[in-house]
Coordinates of all heavy atoms in Angstrom, one line a residue:
A27 N 135.1 -46.4 52.9 CA 134.5 -45.8 54.0 C 134.3 -46.8 55.1 O 133.9 -48.0 54.8 CB 133.2 -45.1 53.6
E28 N 134.6 -46.5 56.3 CA 134.4 -47.4 57.4 C 133.1 -47.3 58.1 O 132.3 -46.3 57.8 CB 135.5 -47.2 58.5 CG 136.9 -47.4 57.9 CD 137.1 -48.9 57.5 OE1 136.6 -49.8 58.2 OE2 137.8 -49.2 56.5
D29 N 132.8 -48.2 59.0 CA 131.5 -48.1 59.8 C 131.5 -46.7 60.5 O 132.5 -46.4 61.2 CB 131.4 -49.2 60.9 CG 131.1 -50.6 60.3 OD1 130.6 -50.6 59.1 OD2 131.3 -51.5 61.0
Q30 N 130.4 -46.0 60.5 CA 130.2 -44.8 61.3 C 129.9 -45.2 62.7 O 129.3 -46.3 62.9 CB 129.1 -44.0 60.7 CG 129.4 -43.4 59.4 CD 128.2 -42.6 58.9 OE1 127.0 -42.8 59.3 NE2 128.4 -41.7 57.9
P31 N 130.1 -44.3 63.6 CA 129.6 -44.6 65.0 C 128.1 -44.4 65.0 O 127.6 -43.7 64.1 CB 130.3 -43.5 65.8 CG 130.7 -42.4 64.9 CD 130.9 -43.1 63.6
W32 N 127.4 -45.1 65.8 CA 126.0 -44.9 66.0 C 125.8 -43.5 66.4 O 126.5 -43.0 67.3 CB 125.4 -45.9 67.0 CG 125.3 -47.3 66.5 CD1 126.2 -48.3 66.8 CD2 124.4 -47.9 65.6 NE1 125.9 -49.5 66.2 CE2 124.7 -49.2 65.4 CE3 123.2 -47.4 65.0 CZ2 124.0 -50.1 64.6 CZ3 122.5 -48.2 64.2 CH2 122.9 -49.6 64.0
H33 N 124.8 -42.8 65.8 CA 124.5 -41.4 66.1 C 123.1 -41.0 65.6 O 122.4 -41.7 64.9 CB 125.6 -40.5 65.4 CG 125.5 -40.5 63.9 ND1 125.9 -41.6 63.1 CD2 124.9 -39.6 63.0 CE1 125.7 -41.3 61.8 NE2 125.0 -40.2 61.7
R34 N 122.8 -39.8 66.0 CA 121.6 -39.1 65.5 C 122.1 -37.8 64.9 O 123.2 -37.4 65.1 CB 120.5 -38.9 66.6 CG 121.0 -38.0 67.7 CD 119.9 -37.7 68.7 NE 118.9 -38.7 68.9 CZ 118.4 -39.1 70.1 NH1 118.9 -38.5 71.2 NH2 117.5 -40.0 70.2
D35 N 121.3 -37.2 64.1 CA 121.7 -36.0 63.3 C 121.8 -34.7 64.1 O 122.6 -33.8 63.8 CB 120.9 -35.8 62.1 CG 121.0 -36.9 61.0 OD1 122.0 -37.6 61.1 OD2 120.1 -37.1 60.2
F36 N 121.0 -34.6 65.2 CA 121.0 -33.5 66.0 C 120.8 -33.9 67.4 O 120.3 -35.0 67.7 CB 119.9 -32.5 65.6 CG 120.0 -32.0 64.2 CD1 119.2 -32.6 63.2 CD2 120.9 -31.0 63.9 CE1 119.3 -32.1 61.9 CE2 121.0 -30.5 62.6 CZ 120.2 -31.1 61.6
Q37 N 121.0 -33.0 68.4 CA 120.6 -33.3 69.8 C 119.1 -33.3 69.9 O 118.5 -32.4 69.2 CB 121.2 -32.2 70.7 CG 121.0 -32.4 72.1 CD 121.8 -31.5 73.0 OE1 122.5 -30.6 72.5 NE2 121.6 -31.6 74.3
A38 N 118.6 -34.2 70.6 CA 117.1 -34.3 70.7 C 116.6 -33.1 71.5 O 117.1 -32.9 72.6 CB 116.7 -35.6 71.3
P39 N 115.6 -32.4 71.0 CA 115.0 -31.3 71.8 C 114.0 -31.7 72.8 O 113.4 -32.8 72.7 CB 114.3 -30.5 70.7 CG 113.9 -31.5 69.7 CD 115.0 -32.6 69.7
P40 N 113.6 -30.9 73.7 CA 112.6 -31.2 74.7 C 111.2 -31.6 74.0 O 110.5 -32.4 74.5 CB 112.4 -29.9 75.5 CG 113.8 -29.3 75.4 CD 114.3 -29.6 74.0
A41 N 110.9 -30.9 72.9 CA 109.7 -31.3 72.2 C 109.6 -32.7 71.9 O 108.5 -33.3 71.9 CB 109.6 -30.5 70.9
T42 N 110.7 -33.4 71.7 CA 110.7 -34.8 71.4 C 110.9 -35.7 72.6 O 110.1 -36.6 72.9 CB 111.8 -35.2 70.4 OG1 111.6 -34.5 69.2 CG2 111.9 -36.7 70.1
L43 N 111.9 -35.3 73.5 CA 112.1 -36.2 74.6 C 111.0 -36.0 75.7 O 110.7 -37.0 76.3 CB 113.5 -35.8 75.2 CG 114.7 -36.1 74.4 CD1 116.0 -35.7 75.1 CD2 114.7 -37.6 74.0
E44 N 110.5 -34.8 75.9 CA 109.5 -34.7 76.9 C 108.1 -34.7 76.3 O 107.2 -35.2 76.9 CB 109.7 -33.3 77.6 CG 111.0 -33.3 78.4 CD 111.5 -31.9 78.8 OE1 110.7 -31.0 78.7 OE2 112.7 -31.8 79.1
G45 N 107.9 -34.0 75.2 CA 106.6 -33.9 74.6 C 106.2 -35.0 73.6 O 105.1 -35.1 73.1
R46 N 107.2 -35.9 73.3 CA 107.0 -37.0 72.4 C 106.5 -36.6 71.0 O 105.6 -37.2 70.4 CB 106.1 -38.1 73.0 CG 106.5 -38.7 74.3 CD 107.7 -39.5 74.2 NE 107.3 -40.9 73.8 CZ 108.1 -41.9 73.7 NH1 109.4 -41.7 74.1 NH2 107.7 -43.0 73.3
R47 N 107.1 -35.4 70.5 CA 106.7 -34.9 69.3 C 107.9 -34.7 68.4 O 108.9 -34.2 68.8 CB 106.0 -33.5 69.5 CG 105.6 -32.8 68.2 CD 104.9 -31.5 68.5 NE 105.7 -30.5 69.1 CZ 106.6 -29.7 68.5 NH1 106.7 -29.7 67.2 NH2 107.3 -28.8 69.2
L48 N 107.8 -35.2 67.2 CA 108.9 -35.0 66.2 C 108.8 -33.6 65.6 O 107.7 -33.2 65.2 CB 108.8 -36.1 65.1 CG 108.9 -37.5 65.5 CD1 108.7 -38.4 64.4 CD2 110.2 -37.8 66.3
N49 N 110.0 -32.9 65.6 CA 110.0 -31.6 64.9 C 110.9 -31.5 63.8 O 111.2 -30.4 63.3 CB 110.1 -30.5 65.9 CG 111.5 -30.4 66.5 OD1 112.4 -31.3 66.3 ND2 111.8 -29.4 67.4
S50 N 111.4 -32.7 63.3 CA 112.3 -32.7 62.1 C 112.2 -34.1 61.4 O 111.9 -35.1 62.1 CB 113.7 -32.4 62.4 OG 114.3 -33.4 63.2
L51 N 112.3 -34.1 60.1 CA 112.3 -35.3 59.3 C 113.5 -35.3 58.4 O 114.0 -34.2 58.0 CB 111.1 -35.4 58.5 CG 109.8 -35.7 59.3 CD1 108.6 -35.6 58.3 CD2 109.8 -37.0 60.0
A52 N 114.0 -36.4 58.1 CA 115.1 -36.6 57.1 C 114.6 -37.5 56.0 O 114.1 -38.6 56.3 CB 116.4 -37.1 57.7
F53 N 114.7 -37.1 54.8 CA 114.3 -37.9 53.6 C 115.6 -38.3 52.9 O 116.4 -37.5 52.6 CB 113.4 -37.1 52.7 CG 112.1 -36.8 53.3 CD1 111.9 -35.6 54.0 CD2 111.0 -37.6 53.1 CE1 110.7 -35.3 54.6 CE2 109.8 -37.3 53.7 CZ 109.6 -36.2 54.4
N54 N 115.7 -39.6 52.6 CA 116.9 -40.1 51.9 C 116.4 -40.6 50.5 O 115.5 -41.4 50.4 CB 117.5 -41.3 52.6 CG 118.3 -40.9 53.9 OD1 118.2 -39.7 54.3 ND2 119.0 -41.8 54.5
L55 N 117.0 -40.1 49.5 CA 116.7 -40.4 48.1 C 117.9 -41.1 47.5 O 118.9 -40.4 47.3 CB 116.3 -39.2 47.3 CG 115.0 -38.5 47.7 CD1 115.2 -37.6 48.9 CD2 114.3 -37.9 46.6
T56 N 117.8 -42.4 47.2 CA 119.0 -43.2 46.8 C 119.3 -43.0 45.4 O 118.4 -43.1 44.5 CB 118.7 -44.6 47.2 OG1 118.4 -44.7 48.6 CG2 119.9 -45.5 46.9
A57 N 120.6 -42.9 45.0 CA 121.0 -42.7 43.7 C 121.6 -43.9 43.0 O 122.0 -43.8 41.8 CB 122.0 -41.5 43.6
V58 N 121.7 -45.0 43.7 CA 122.2 -46.3 43.2 C 121.4 -47.4 43.7 O 120.8 -47.3 44.7 CB 123.7 -46.5 43.5 CG1 124.6 -45.4 42.9 CG2 124.0 -46.6 45.0
D59 N 121.5 -48.5 43.0 CA 120.9 -49.8 43.6 C 121.9 -50.3 44.6 O 123.0 -50.7 44.3 CB 120.7 -50.8 42.5 CG 119.7 -50.5 41.5 OD1 118.9 -49.6 41.7 OD2 119.7 -51.1 40.4
T60 N 121.5 -50.2 45.9 CA 122.4 -50.5 47.0 C 122.6 -52.0 47.2 O 121.6 -52.7 47.2 CB 121.8 -49.9 48.3 OG1 121.6 -48.5 48.1 CG2 122.8 -50.1 49.4
R61 N 123.8 -52.4 47.2 CA 124.2 -53.8 47.5 C 124.8 -53.9 48.8 O 125.4 -52.9 49.4 CB 125.1 -54.3 46.4 CG 124.6 -54.2 45.0 CD 125.5 -54.8 43.9 NE 126.9 -54.6 44.2 CZ 127.6 -53.6 43.7 NH1 127.0 -52.7 42.9 NH2 128.9 -53.5 43.9
P62 N 124.8 -55.1 49.5 CA 125.5 -55.2 50.8 C 126.9 -54.7 50.9 O 127.3 -54.1 51.9 CB 125.4 -56.7 51.1 CG 124.2 -57.2 50.3 CD 124.2 -56.3 49.0
E63 N 127.7 -54.8 49.8 CA 129.1 -54.4 49.9 C 129.2 -52.9 49.7 O 130.3 -52.3 50.0 CB 129.9 -55.1 48.8 CG 129.4 -54.9 47.4 CD 128.4 -55.9 46.9 OE1 127.8 -56.6 47.7 OE2 128.2 -56.1 45.7
H64 N 128.1 -52.1 49.4 CA 128.1 -50.7 49.4 C 128.2 -50.0 50.7 O 128.5 -48.8 50.8 CB 126.9 -50.1 48.7 CG 126.9 -50.1 47.2 ND1 125.9 -50.5 46.4 CD2 127.9 -49.7 46.4 CE1 126.2 -50.4 45.2 NE2 127.4 -49.9 45.1
G65 N 128.0 -50.8 51.8 CA 128.0 -50.1 53.1 C 126.6 -49.5 53.4 O 126.4 -48.3 53.5
P66 N 125.6 -50.4 53.4 CA 124.2 -49.8 53.6 C 124.0 -49.1 54.8 O 124.7 -49.3 55.8 CB 123.3 -51.1 53.5 CG 124.2 -52.2 53.5 CD 125.6 -51.8 53.4
F67 N 123.0 -48.2 54.8 CA 122.5 -47.4 55.9 C 121.9 -48.4 56.9 O 121.2 -49.3 56.5 CB 121.5 -46.4 55.4 CG 121.0 -45.4 56.3 CD1 121.7 -44.4 56.8 CD2 119.6 -45.5 56.7 CE1 121.2 -43.5 57.7 CE2 119.1 -44.6 57.5 CZ 119.9 -43.5 58.0

């Protein structure tokens, strides 16, 4: 796998950009002991 482009998961809504309120969260649960050669997040 190659480097991904920098990105966000969704388009930012007005609630966040104007209201400075988060309306979604992402939880990452890792299934391996990540090493630098794995391509870390």
Side-chain angles (χ1 to χ4, degrees):
E28 295 298 323
D29 287 340
Q30 292 178 339
W32 288 100
H33 67 281
R34 58 174 36 134
D35 292 339
F36 301 100
Q37 184 171 358
T42 300
L43 294 181
E44 296 163 16
R46 304 289 279 186
R47 180 177 61 84
L48 299 178
N49 69 357
S50 65
L51 292 173
F53 295 88
N54 289 6
L55 293 86
T56 304
V58 296
D59 292 343
T60 307
R61 301 185 322 268
E63 59 270 20
H64 276 134
F67 186 69

